[in-house]
Amino acid sequence: MGPTARAERAVARQPGRTPLKLALRIFAIVLGWYAVSISIIFTNKYLLSTRDFRFPFFLTFCNNAIVSLIALVLTRAPRLRPAPLRPGAWPRVVLPIGLCTALDIGFSNWSLRHVSVAFHTMVKATIPGFVFLFGLLLRLERLSVLRVTAVALVCGGIALASVGQSQLHGHGNDFSLFGLALGLVSGAFAGLRWALSQLLVQGGELSRRTSPLATILRISPVCAAAGLGLSVSFEGAGLVHSPFLHAPELAAELVAYISAVAALVFLLLLAEFALVGLTSSLTLSIFGILKELATIALSALLLGDALNASNLAGFAICIGGAALYNYSKRGGGGAHGGADVSG
């Protein structure tokens, strides 16, 4: 029996948790996770593309600043107050993971301005490939036929999906090589974040016993600060003269959108941490694949995103590669994206 199966059985054996109650609780959280995650993507797409809000890094700053405030208020309660940081945890754990998270989110939002929701979802499926590549560079991974095959499938799948998407360009679908490049940069930073988390767990600087609120409280301010710096660097002049900051109606609309998305992001983080705690990171990745399929189906249904055989075949190959990589990791445990830096 692998560590994943042992972890799931240990959860099921906890007092008051019958298998049926546990399954129903997981099912409810998964449904909530799907609804919140898909709502965030669709809302960001509407704001960034339809409403032509051209400042994805400013959006990253605002969302994480509000999430930080929510976590700060909640952790004032004695029961929810996190333990102090371990000595040296801020520069070695909080800072690098927070920066990678901000860059992942910022470039992901930037990509979403230029490509359809369906294709954006396909590109994000490359993350396991980047996890493997950074794992090799950090000497966390060993070359194996299974994992190399998995990465090759991911790369081949996204290439085929890109060809299919370029064929749809001009038929009511968004596509640009620039948007594809931005999505791949986002995936690279996401992969680096996961690889760093694994490295820090193996080095004993990061605990697997993640406290969701403590993690959000410590990582989100770094994300907000990085988002602000990137916004000033890339978007400063345009943002200062944006009608969203000068026209009262547009400003009110922007505040409403950002507040709603920030609340959804906070719920999304809690749902992901809860699922990892109740199941495993492997099970969460499988649920994530199903969520991607649901996102693509809804984008075609609600937004009219066009799909063709190359799109679908490429995505299927990419997902197959991701699933194969996750299967190859099953025996090794692996770190998830969360980080408990408490003492």
Side-chain angles (χ1 to χ4, degrees):
M1 184 190 305
T4 298
R6 286 197 297 270
E8 291 178 352
R9 290 196 178 186
V11 169
R13 286 197 301 267
Q14 290 181 13
R17 281 185 179 169
T18 65
L20 177 60
K21 286 183 179 178
L22 180 62
L24 290 174
R25 186 177 180 187
I26 291 172
F27 179 71
I29 294 174
V30 166
L31 285 182
W33 179 43
Y34 281 17
V36 168
S37 177
I38 293 171
S39 296
I40 291 170
I41 294 172
F42 278 50
T43 303
N44 280 344
K45 178 62 176 176
Y46 178 78
L47 180 61
L48 292 164
S49 293
T50 307
R51 300 297 292 135
D52 199 28
F53 185 74
R54 304 180 179 185
F55 313 105
F57 291 112
F58 181 73
L59 192 61
T60 302
F61 157 66
C62 291
N63 286 338
N64 280 282
I66 295 172
V67 167
S68 301
L69 287 175
I70 295 172
L72 181 63
V73 170
L74 291 177
T75 52
R76 294 307 90 193
R79 286 182 56 199
L80 300 176
R81 194 163 295 163
L85 282 172
R86 295 173 178 174
W90 199 90
R92 290 198 299 267
V93 179
V94 176
L95 183 60
I97 292 178
L99 286 174
C100 287
T101 303
L103 289 164
D104 170 20
I105 296 169
F107 278 101
S108 178
N109 286 337
W110 195 357
S111 171
L112 197 55
R113 267 190 52 81
H114 298 280
V115 299
S116 68
V117 169
F119 187 62
H120 179 265
T121 304
M122 295 177 192
V123 175
K124 294 294 283 185
T126 59
I127 290 175
F130 285 111
V131 174
F132 176 69
L133 293 176
F134 282 114
L136 286 176
L137 290 174
L138 296 173
R139 298 183 179 180
L140 297 169
E141 299 275 8
R142 293 189 303 273
L143 280 175
S144 71
V145 173
L146 200 61
R147 293 181 186 178
V148 171
T149 302
V151 173
L153 286 173
V154 168
C155 294
I158 201 61
L160 183 58
S162 299
V163 170
Q165 196 72 11
S166 66
Q167 293 169 350
L168 291 169
H169 187 50
H171 296 278
N173 237 36
D174 299 330
F175 176 74
S176 74
L177 287 175
F178 183 62
L180 169 61
L182 292 172
L184 292 174
V185 171
S186 169
F189 280 115
L192 178 58
R193 183 181 76 244
W194 281 64
L196 283 174
S197 297
Q198 185 177 347
L199 179 67
L200 293 165
V201 165
Q202 290 185 3
E205 298 190 53
L206 201 60
S207 172
R208 294 181 190 275
R209 295 174 309 202
T210 303
S211 168
L213 277 175
T215 301
I216 294 170
L217 179 65
R218 281 147 184 171
I219 299 297
S220 292
V222 177
C223 293
L228 180 60
L230 290 165
S231 180
V232 170
S233 301
F234 289 100
E235 304 164 345
L239 182 61
V240 168
H241 297 99
S242 170
F244 280 94
L245 298 187
H246 297 283
E249 290 185 3
L250 288 178
E253 179 185 349
L254 180 63
V255 169
Y257 274 117
I258 287 176
S259 299
V261 170
L264 290 172
V265 168
F266 185 80
L267 293 174
L268 177 70
L269 293 170
L270 288 181
E272 289 180 346
F273 284 122
L275 284 173
V276 170
L278 288 172
T279 58
S280 67
S281 55
L282 177 64
T283 304
L284 183 61
S285 70
I286 293 170
F287 286 143
I289 289 171
L290 297 176
K291 178 173 67 66
E292 289 165 354
L293 293 172
T295 303
I296 289 173
L298 285 173
S299 69
L301 198 64
L302 300 178
L303 303 179
D305 288 355
L307 300 169
N308 61 17
S310 296
N311 269 148
L312 297 174
F315 182 62
I317 293 170
C318 193
I319 287 298
L324 184 63
Y325 176 78
N326 285 325
Y327 172 79
S328 74
K329 296 283 286 183
R330 185 182 180 92
H336 55 74
D340 182 3
V341 292
S342 304

